[in-house]
Amino acid sequence: VLYAARRCGVGAVYKAGGAQAVAAMAYGTESIPKVDKIFGPGNRYVTAAKQMVSGRNTSIDMPAGPSEVMVMADRSALPSFVAADMLPQAEHGRDSQAMVVCDDRAFAEAVAAEVQRQAAMLSREDFVTDSLSPSRIIVFDGREQMVDFANMYAAEHLIVMMRDAWSVVDRITGSVFVGAYSPESAGDYASGTNHTLPTSGWAHSCSGVNIDSFMRKMTIQELSREGLAALAPTIIAMADAEGLQAHAEAVKVRMNETVK
């Protein structure tokens, strides 16, 4: 990260974290200057802090945290792969959540057994155990119900390991990983997508961080007298309809006088 920052011409880096770092960046301190926008994921406290300062002191990318993953799988998937994709999010923190939706009870039981087997080998098993408590493997009657539930839940990360996976992806909103060889950890570290993503259902209304997120858009307009004259009837009619006389007069005065 430091190397990339240097290559991009970043002039200052501060080592800080947690909700207190959000407050420092939003309000400014003796050592950390106030910023215009705060990006990045975090736990529930970081997310709450970002939401508290948003719109008052600085803007934020989106609510991003705690971590979530959902795996959509059918019997064409390997239970070991599905389990292996639940656990990376589970080890992020004790309040993370991993979900699996499938259409076969025997497959669900095989995934559950794999989760227990693989979790026992992890160094952060205590974190995983806590985050697996609210996690679920849900069996639906068919693909349509699986898609409907996935869109309603709107997971931060969605992994689709199903036959004809792209026909499912075309109906999904969010950050999607397609196929047996597209683990979420690739998106975190190397495949190129940003992994700061909306959680807790915010994918319904928010996008993940992308290049456009770093931009601030503005508009500039200049009208000629002829251009304003062409728009004047519309402007005046709408201003009158809303009872905003001064808006209409700002146009009328320009139509009655000419700048030399």
Side-chain angles (χ1 to χ4, degrees), residues 43-231:
N43 59 22
R44 65 181 66 186
Y45 302 105
V46 169
T47 300
K50 285 170 64 179
Q51 290 176 305
M52 287 175 67
V53 303
S54 174
R56 290 167 33 191
N57 305 90
T58 189
S59 63
I60 65 172
D61 45 4
M62 77 200 84
S67 296
E68 304 164 344
V69 68
M70 176 180 286
V71 184
M72 297 179 67
D74 58 20
R75 280 168 284 186
S76 69
L78 293 179
S80 58
F81 283 21
V82 175
D85 282 337
M86 292 183 72
L87 295 171
Q89 292 307 301
E91 73 176 353
H92 263 306
R94 301 181 192 276
D95 53 0
S96 300
Q97 187 175 46
M99 305 284 284
V100 171
V101 294
C102 61
D103 57 2
D104 183 80
R105 185 180 182 88
F107 180 84
E109 291 172 348
V111 171
E114 273 293 320
V115 168
Q116 295 302 316
R117 184 185 70 81
Q118 294 183 28
M121 299 185 290
L122 299 175
S123 59
R124 293 169 67 90
E125 184 183 4
D126 55 337
F127 279 78
V128 171
T129 299
D130 286 346
S131 59
L132 286 177
S133 178
S135 299
R136 297 289 184 271
I137 301 174
I138 306 174
V139 181
F140 289 100
D141 289 334
R143 179 175 292 217
E144 294 300 315
Q145 289 184 340
M146 292 168 63
V147 170
D148 289 344
F149 182 77
N151 279 327
M152 180 185 68
Y153 185 87
E156 178 186 18
H157 308 92
L158 178 68
I159 299 171
V160 182
M161 281 190 269
M162 303 174 68
R163 293 185 186 89
D164 194 18
W166 280 102
S167 68
V168 174
V169 174
D170 288 342
R171 300 165 58 192
I172 294 294
T173 299
S175 180
V176 185
F177 299 77
V178 184
Y181 296 98
S182 306
E184 180 276 328
S185 47
D188 275 2
Y189 293 118
S191 61
T193 58
N194 196 297
H195 71 275
T196 302
L197 301 165
T199 63
S200 302
W202 282 97
H204 285 292
S205 55
C206 296
S207 302
V209 167
N210 55 71
I211 293 174
D212 195 51
S213 304
F214 294 82
M215 309 292 183
R216 182 181 61 82
K217 301 177 180 68
M218 58 183 289
T219 59
I220 301 172
Q221 57 189 287
E222 180 182 10
L223 281 69
S224 65
R225 190 180 190 284
E226 292 75 17
L228 180 60
L231 295 177

